[in-house]
Amino acid sequence: MHAVAGHEHGPYTLYDLDALPDEGDRYELADGWLTELPGDLWHDNAAEQLRRILKEAARQADADVHVAGAPQHVTTPAGIRRPDVFVVPRDMARMALERRTHTYYGPDLMLVAEVVTPRTDNERTDRVHKVAEYAALGIPHYWIVDLEPRPLVTMLELDGAAYRTVRRAKSGEPVETPAPFPIVFDPSRLSEME
């Protein structure tokens, strides 16, 4: 972890996060503290595969959306998160580009997906903290992707102020949903290497 000039021991701000050197490290800012995100080949590959799947589904549906992911940020009640994959309306992406920012406002997201890195502190964040944060923002769809022992996608939908699980699809069973646009794929694709 790099010390941030003037704030060696926190708490930190978005400006401190943005000032960190770009050395391939990935951080989130939650409750004033920087947390380094774990990443590995399997995690990063699955996130990239999911981005490709969603981009292709959006293109086929002629959906006016932008599919993104880290290193772009999303504001939440706790601070700044870096979802592995998220979907925003295309006009929101245009506005972010015009403002030259890589930070999106949480309520603008239509879907967010996190690929769980098991046996890390971040696993609890993805399964507990982000569930509450993303629900508080009103993000309609949250997917939790597990890669072990085989890919599994847990699809959550906002029901009032909290998420409810609407489907779990493991390798060999299709993820199939009409919203935020028609999406169909086998979770086994998330472990394919290209």
Side-chain angles (χ1 to χ4, degrees), residues 51-98:
R51 276 192 291 277
R52 287 182 186 148
I53 289 165
L54 293 178
K55 284 179 181 182
E56 179 60 22
R59 188 191 63 72
Q60 288 179 3
D62 199 26
D64 197 20
V65 300
H66 174 65
V67 178
Q72 295 167 321
H73 303 147
V74 173
T75 61
T76 75
I80 303 296
R81 297 294 188 186
R82 289 188 184 206
D84 293 315
V85 182
F86 63 92
V87 177
V88 294
R90 191 173 306 281
D91 61 337
M92 294 296 151
R94 273 191 212 103
M95 287 192 319
L97 186 62
E98 289 168 4

Side-chain angles (χ1 to χ4, degrees), residues 1-3 17-27 36-37 71 82:
M1 170 85 77
H2 301 282
L17 180 65
D18 285 343
L20 287 173
D22 186 12
E23 298 175 350
D25 297 326
R26 299 179 291 193
Y27 294 93
E36 188 170 2
L37 297 176
R82 289 188 184 206

Side-chain angles (χ1 to χ4, degrees), residues 50 54 85-88 108-113 139-143 177 179-180 183:
L50 184 55
L54 293 178
V85 182
F86 63 92
V87 177
V88 294
D108 294 335
L109 276 65
M110 305 165 73
L111 177 144
V112 64
I139 300 170
H141 305 277
Y142 180 40
W143 294 2
T177 182
I183 303 166

Side-chain angles (χ1 to χ4, degrees), residues 95-152:
M95 287 192 319
L97 186 62
E98 289 168 4
R99 290 189 322 253
R100 297 185 183 268
T101 183
H102 51 269
T103 302
Y104 287 87
Y105 299 105
D108 294 335
L109 276 65
M110 305 165 73
L111 177 144
V112 64
E114 297 286 2
V115 178
V116 173
T117 303
R119 299 170 299 280
T120 65
D121 290 339
N122 206 51
E123 180 176 12
R124 179 176 170 81
T125 300
D126 289 346
R127 295 187 192 283
V128 179
H129 301 295
K130 289 182 181 179
V131 172
E133 290 173 35
Y134 295 158
L137 292 169
I139 300 170
H141 305 277
Y142 180 40
W143 294 2
I144 299 172
V145 177
D146 290 286
L147 298 176
E148 295 180 12
R150 293 192 181 124
L152 167 74

